[in-house]
Amino acid sequence: MARQSCGALIFLVCLSLTAGSLCLPVNAVHIDSITHGDDGSPSTTQDNGKKWAVLVAGSNGYRNYRHQANVCHAYQILKKGGLKDENIIVFMYDDIAFNPENPRQGLIINKPKGHDVYKGVPKDYTGDDVNADNLYAVILGNKSTLSGGSGKVLRSGPNDHIFIYYTNHGAAGLLEMPTGTPSVFAIDLIDVLNKKHAAKGYKGMVFSLEACESGSIFEGLLPKNVSIYATTSANAEEDGYATYCPGQPGIPAAYDICLGDLFSISWMEDCDKNDLRKETLEKQYERVRRRTNDSHVMQYGDMSHIKEFLLTYMGADPANDSYTSMEDISSPSISRVISQRDADLLHLHHKFHKAPAGSHTKLEARKQLLDEIAHRKLVDYRINKIWELLFGHQKSSKVLLNVRPQGQPLVDDWDCFKMLMRTYENNCGPLSNYGMKYVRAIANMGNAGVTIENIWLQHLIKLVLRNPMSRTSFPIKQSK
């Protein structure tokens, strides 16, 4: 009954709103015996275990260029490290390299003046095959539940090591997938990881996650006894940050999108120049944490793994074997970053300003920019008005912004949370990358135990609303 109520209340409020606005690392453990692949790079350990990797870019569209660039870069690191394509599984929509807006057709870069990272990347799951169900099937090694794609899955065993990297937009308790596919909810992902552990599908796993509020995926949910070490780009309540963006020093004028995300390029550029035979997970975490200074890089799960060498999960590039001391290497500084939620707006802003005056391109870019601004204002309006009606003007902001104590998961009733999300988006339209900042507010409604009766008895008269939306300027905030 409670679940029906939590879904019905949003439906009723959105339906009523339609009247006024269209709901449009102890010493490090050294690997003593290493076998090498044909290129001299390590591929297996003394226990004959294999290295596996799953790389996921969960977005699409040219404005999200950086997510696929991140994944392609990660692939190149693993390939140089000695992992074979049969052991690297890639999810990416694959609509960036040959996108008409890409100034270097067929190439993808992940930093200014960077080399092509797209060449050779396996196209395992692309387009609509980039979805939550296929991701779960791949991790569990369950070919029977796959839909499309190459059919590659994690055929890992008890002596194997797995590296999973996921980069995308995120929100409290969920990770986005391309348009039209269900999101990856934290509870479902954790359940899949627990099942993989129960099936003795690995010896150790490292999970690297880039997304806004990414800490919420593991906070209070990832057990410490399933041999998984996870790092996230942000804690459970803050944004992640994009970098190498248009207007920043060194960015070619032809690029009007961000080329990477701060957390991701920090760990990947560290891998590019250092000997991963000698660098531990703990050392890299500290370096990445210092460089990613606009959000709090977090650690979750089994902390015993932090003493392991990165070699164990990513292999090692022989070209970096001259590396001797962590202190000898300094990370390049990042002068400016922008919230991941505003990166697409920045893209549209630069696209408009660089278009020739009076051209069709200029008019189209202007329309896209104004539509995005209008959509953001409408999402703000809907969410704030719904919560004002539910909790009253005095309490609404407190409920909207409430964050549970550290160590607690986002919600207790995940089924109710999923229903609330589904009902809102079915009746009031998609939240979009920007609107995902309000997902915690939707979760908080379920945590507050609001019922449908409360709405109709206390707020019925206030449900006829008008839409004050207008197209005005929307400031883009950048960090120093």
Side-chain angles (χ1 to χ4, degrees):
M1 181 64 182
R3 290 174 186 169
Q4 291 177 341
S5 296
C6 82
L9 61 91
I10 278 191
F11 168 74
L12 291 171
V13 174
C14 283
L15 185 63
S16 300
L17 280 171
T18 308
S21 64
L22 178 64
C23 248
L24 307 165
V26 206
N27 293 329
V29 179
H30 184 70
I31 298 176
D32 298 314
S33 177
I34 301 175
T35 60
H36 295 74
D38 294 338
D39 61 356
S41 59
S43 59
T44 61
T45 60
Q46 60 181 357
D47 55 11
N48 294 318
K50 295 181 179 180
K51 297 178 179 66
W52 296 83
V54 179
L55 309 176
V56 185
S59 68
N60 63 353
Y62 186 71
R63 65 175 66 183
N64 291 314
Y65 179 107
R66 66 191 186 279
H67 297 142
Q68 293 183 51
N70 290 339
V71 156
C72 290
H73 189 175
Y75 166 79
Q76 302 299 339
I77 291 170
L78 297 174
K79 189 67 175 177
K80 289 179 181 178
L83 275 72
K84 300 177 181 179
D85 282 355
E86 64 189 62
N87 297 111
I88 305 174
I89 304 169
V90 178
F91 285 79
M92 67 177 193
Y93 209 84
D94 198 25
D95 60 346
I96 300 302
F98 294 97
N99 190 290
E101 294 188 65
N102 187 1
R104 299 176 68 185
Q105 287 289 292
L107 279 68
I108 296 177
I109 61 175
N110 198 212
K111 65 178 179 180
K113 301 179 182 180
H115 63 274
D116 177 30
V117 293
Y118 182 68
K119 185 178 180 180
V121 178
K123 312 300 190 301
D124 293 309
Y125 298 90
T126 62
D128 291 343
D129 295 334
V130 181
N131 60 63
D133 289 339
N134 276 347
L135 175 60
Y136 301 153
V138 164
I139 294 175
L140 293 174
N142 190 352
K143 282 194 172 186
S144 64
T145 57
L146 284 172
S147 175
S150 68
K152 283 163 61 175
V153 296
L154 286 180
R155 296 179 291 104
S156 53
N159 292 322
D160 296 347
H161 293 84
I162 300 172
F163 173 66
I164 299 179
Y165 169 55
Y166 196 116
T167 174
N168 195 15
H169 295 288
L174 62 85
L175 300 169
E176 195 179 38
M177 275 295 189
T179 302
T181 64
S183 300
V184 172
F185 284 87
I187 194 68
D188 297 330
L189 179 60
I190 298 300
D191 181 57
V192 167
L193 297 179
N194 284 334
K195 287 178 179 178
K196 189 68 172 178
H197 176 260
K200 303 185 186 305
Y202 60 90
K203 184 175 183 178
M205 180 188 295
V206 168
F207 200 124
S208 178
L209 176 58
E210 171 85 65
C212 288
E213 300 180 272
S214 46
S216 66
I217 302 300
F218 301 114
E219 187 79 52
L221 294 172
L222 182 63
K224 297 182 179 181
N225 61 350
V226 294
S227 198
I228 298 175
Y229 168 74
T231 59
T232 64
S233 60
N235 63 26
E237 57 184 290
E238 65 189 353
D239 290 353
Y241 288 85
T243 191
Y244 296 153
C245 297
Q248 295 179 4
I251 305 299
Y255 287 91
D256 53 22
I257 39 77
C258 297
L259 302 177
D261 290 301
L262 183 56
F263 168 76
S264 293
I265 62 101
S266 293
W267 74 258
M268 287 189 283
E269 291 182 3
D270 179 74
C271 288
D272 284 334
K273 63 189 178 185
N274 295 330
D275 186 351
L276 304 189
R277 296 175 179 87
K278 302 174 183 179
E279 185 173 354
T280 62
L281 289 164
E282 181 179 39
K283 285 288 188 181
Q284 185 171 83
Y285 165 76
E286 287 299 330
R287 289 171 60 81
V288 171
R289 181 184 61 81
R290 290 194 296 270
R291 192 179 183 194
T292 312
N293 54 12
D294 285 83
S295 62
H296 296 81
V297 177
M298 304 295 289
Q299 303 176 99
Y300 298 93
D302 187 347
M303 300 303 291
S304 68
H305 290 289
I306 62 176
K307 297 301 180 181
E308 294 179 319
F309 291 103
L310 290 165
L311 162 74
T312 306
Y313 298 91
M314 303 181 190
D317 184 353
N320 295 342
D321 60 7
S322 61
Y323 163 79
T324 57
S325 171
M326 292 294 298
E327 287 69 32
D328 292 340
I329 305 292
S330 60
S331 296
S333 61
I334 298 295
S335 59
R336 297 168 65 190
V337 296
I338 186 168
S339 166
Q340 291 178 8
R341 302 206 195 280
D342 286 335
D344 53 353
L345 188 61
L346 180 64
H347 160 64
L348 294 174
H349 181 267
H350 276 265
K351 184 177 178 180
F352 168 70
H353 282 283
K354 81 174 187 179
S359 66
H360 173 74
T361 302
K362 188 82 166 183
L363 292 174
E364 181 60 27
R366 180 179 184 275
K367 181 181 182 301
Q368 291 177 359
L369 178 59
L370 292 177
D371 284 348
E372 176 65 19
I373 293 171
H375 171 75
R376 290 174 175 232
K377 290 168 66 67
L378 187 55
V379 170
D380 291 341
Y381 171 76
R382 289 188 189 128
I383 292 292
N384 284 284
K385 181 57 67 174
I386 288 173
W387 264 255
E388 182 180 331
L389 293 173
L390 290 175
F391 304 106
H393 182 72
Q394 297 294 328
K395 295 182 180 180
S396 62
S397 61
K398 182 178 180 180
V399 177
L400 272 168
L401 301 174
N402 183 57
V403 178
R404 296 180 120 187
Q406 187 174 0
Q408 286 189 19
L410 176 70
V411 297
D412 296 320
D413 190 337
W414 287 87
D415 288 337
C416 179
F417 173 46
K418 291 178 186 179
M419 183 179 290
L420 287 169
M421 283 296 302
R422 188 163 53 247
T423 305
Y424 177 90
E425 294 199 319
N426 285 345
N427 295 279
C428 293
L431 281 169
S432 76
N433 303 336
Y434 169 78
M436 288 178 75
K437 72 179 187 177
Y438 290 117
V439 169
R440 184 178 299 277
I442 294 176
N444 285 340
M445 186 172 69
N447 290 336
V450 176
T451 65
I452 182 174
E453 290 81 5
N454 296 136
I455 298 175
W456 288 108
L457 290 176
Q458 298 179 29
H459 304 295
L460 181 60
I461 299 176
K462 301 179 181 179
L463 289 178
V464 178
L465 308 171
R466 67 184 181 88
N467 182 13
M469 301 299 98
S470 62
R471 289 178 171 176
T472 57
S473 61
F474 189 93
I476 298 176
K477 295 182 179 181
Q478 293 186 326
S479 68
K480 297 180 179 180

